[in-house]
Amino acid sequence: MFREMESAETLNPQVFAFFEGEWSLQRSIRGSYAGSFSGSARFSADPQNPRCLHYLEAGKMNTADGGRFDSSLLGYLLFPMLVGLVIPYLLIGILGAGSVVRGITVGMFPGAFPGDP
């Protein structure tokens, strides 16, 4: 059963002031990536919209098998590498699909495309 949330326009601005600042955070994670997360969450006011808060969460995640994820640098290094690998993968897939479609439809539409043998 869900209750529909009030829109930000109907909330008292003091509600937003209450949340502003840094909060400590402890979380248990269940499922295939089981572990725990500890860190902080920071709410900061938006200067252009007094009824809006920005949220930033930072900390360390420990997996159940003892692994840890706490390096932003690793993400910065992996992102361009993964994008660099995905783009050729997609292009090869498109070229392969074009070859298959060309092979299947050869001679189906004579005279429809100028320069087609």
Side-chain angles (χ1 to χ4, degrees):
M1 193 183 281
F2 293 101
R3 183 174 71 100
E4 192 166 319
M5 292 191 59
E6 297 179 52
S7 71
E9 288 79 29
T10 61
L11 289 174
N12 186 332
Q14 292 176 339
V15 171
F16 294 95
F18 174 77
F19 284 107
E20 194 171 353
E22 188 140 342
W23 295 70
S24 64
L25 182 63
Q26 298 285 330
R27 183 181 305 164
S28 294
I29 302 166
R30 297 185 194 104
S32 58
Y33 298 106
S36 64
F37 177 86
S38 62
S40 64
R42 182 165 194 46
F43 291 92
S44 57
D46 183 343
Q48 271 100 33
N49 185 354
R51 295 181 181 267
C52 179
L53 291 174
H54 295 278
Y55 178 78
L56 175 67
E57 189 174 294
K60 294 184 180 181
M61 179 181 161
N62 297 312
T63 61
D65 63 359
R68 290 176 40 180
F69 302 98
D70 62 353
S71 174
S72 296
L73 179 62
L74 181 61
Y76 294 139
L77 291 174
L78 284 177
F79 180 76
M81 287 180 11
L82 294 174
V83 169
L85 291 171
V86 166
I87 291 173
Y89 179 78
L90 292 173
L91 291 174
I92 290 169
I94 291 169
L95 291 172
S99 297
V100 169
V101 170
R102 177 187 287 179
I104 292 173
T105 60
V106 71
M108 289 182 103
F109 307 102
F113 302 104
D116 195 17

